[in-house]
Amino acid sequence: MAIKVTWYGHACFMIETGDARLLIDPFLTGNPTAPVEANQLNPDFILVSHGHGDHVGDAVAIAKRCQATTISNFEIQNWLSAQGVEKAHPMHIGGGFDFPWGRVKLTIAHHGSALPDGTYGGNPCGFLLTIQGKKIYHACDTGLFYDMKLIGEEGIDLAILPIGDNFTMGPDDALRAVKLIQPKRVIPIHYNTFDVIRQDPQQWADRVKKETAAEAIVLEPGQSIEL
């Protein structure tokens, strides 16, 4: 069965495997680009990359309503549990775990991770997912780092990279990231949610097409692709 990957704006994705629905960084309430409301999504698992409010987002409310299992670093899981989330799977950077639907490995990310109430959120991360033999790398919020080349050695079918600048990689560094990772396909994210991260994703996609072998896919919030 094909893997369905849907973008809900900013860094939020739903990945449907046929066996499970995975929701990543569910920033929906307060997100001006979100095409759905938090109560419309029913994930089985929620992955949280770091503690910032525009990534933790609606994780607590959705996890409680759906009895979803949250996946994040140990510090964020402690915080989620304190908010009343009952099902949690703590991990940490460099570690991986085989779930019934596929494998999750936490990768490094260069960013911050303070939680909305100021609680220490541990180290931020990206996600390397292996599902039905396909490799998806969601870099989440990060600056460029050379070890992306090592992640690329996994053979990435889809890379999801921020291009917004200011808080994360901008277009130039995100293009360099594509050259390091060498994915088959790449989706730009984390842009145009706020004025300070306004970018032209199609212009970036044109540069990717011209300078790399990757297929750059610009999605509108709510649109999907299949792997």
Side-chain angles (χ1 to χ4, degrees):
M1 180 176 177
I3 302 165
K4 185 178 180 182
V5 179
T6 305
W7 186 44
Y8 289 125
H10 208 53
C12 181
F13 279 83
M14 180 77 85
I15 298 176
E16 298 171 79
T17 73
D19 298 312
R21 296 179 299 274
L22 322 176
L23 183 61
I24 302 175
D25 285 356
F27 173 45
L28 300 161
T29 303
N31 177 358
T33 68
V36 295
E37 296 181 358
N39 61 12
Q40 295 177 269
L41 300 181
N42 297 285
D44 302 297
F45 292 82
I46 301 172
L47 286 69
V48 179
S49 67
H50 65 286
H52 293 166
D54 59 334
H55 292 263
V56 173
D58 298 287
V60 171
I62 297 173
K64 287 181 177 180
R65 176 174 55 81
C66 299
Q67 286 296 293
T69 299
T70 56
I71 300 172
S72 191
N73 70 32
F74 183 79
E75 291 83 1
I76 290 174
Q77 293 298 2
N78 284 343
W79 184 83
L80 291 170
S81 295
Q83 312 307 308
V85 173
E86 296 181 358
K87 297 181 180 179
H89 185 100
M91 299 182 66
H92 243 307
I93 292 169
F97 188 82
D98 292 316
F99 295 90
W101 43 266
R103 183 171 179 81
V104 178
K105 182 177 181 181
L106 269 56
T107 67
I108 63 173
H110 293 310
H111 199 60
S113 189
L115 287 151
D117 61 3
T119 302
Y120 173 62
N123 293 318
C125 74
F127 298 108
L128 178 60
L129 309 176
T130 306
I131 304 170
Q132 299 175 19
K134 300 291 187 180
K135 301 268 189 172
I136 302 171
Y137 170 47
H138 190 328
C140 303
D141 278 19
T142 188
L144 179 69
F145 56 93
Y146 192 72
D147 282 1
M148 286 180 174
K149 184 175 177 62
L150 296 177
I151 296 170
E153 290 176 1
E154 297 279 347
I156 304 301
D157 295 284
L158 174 65
I160 299 169
L161 303 177
I163 68 165
D165 217 352
N166 196 77
F167 297 115
T168 68
M169 294 188 292
D172 291 341
D173 278 353
L175 178 60
R176 295 172 72 187
V178 175
K179 293 176 181 179
L180 289 171
I181 300 164
Q182 298 183 29
K184 293 178 183 176
R185 305 163 92 179
V186 60
I187 295 173
I189 61 161
H190 209 278
Y191 64 87
N192 294 356
T193 319
F194 317 110
D195 284 341
V196 73
I197 57 171
R198 191 155 298 282
Q199 299 293 341
D200 183 338
Q202 191 57 58
Q203 184 181 74
W204 182 80
D206 290 343
R207 293 178 66 192
V208 170
K209 180 179 180 180
K210 181 179 179 181
E211 298 185 36
T212 80
E215 177 189 1
I217 301 168
V218 176
L219 297 178
E220 293 294 328
Q223 288 186 330
S224 306
I225 64 167
E226 291 189 346
L227 298 178

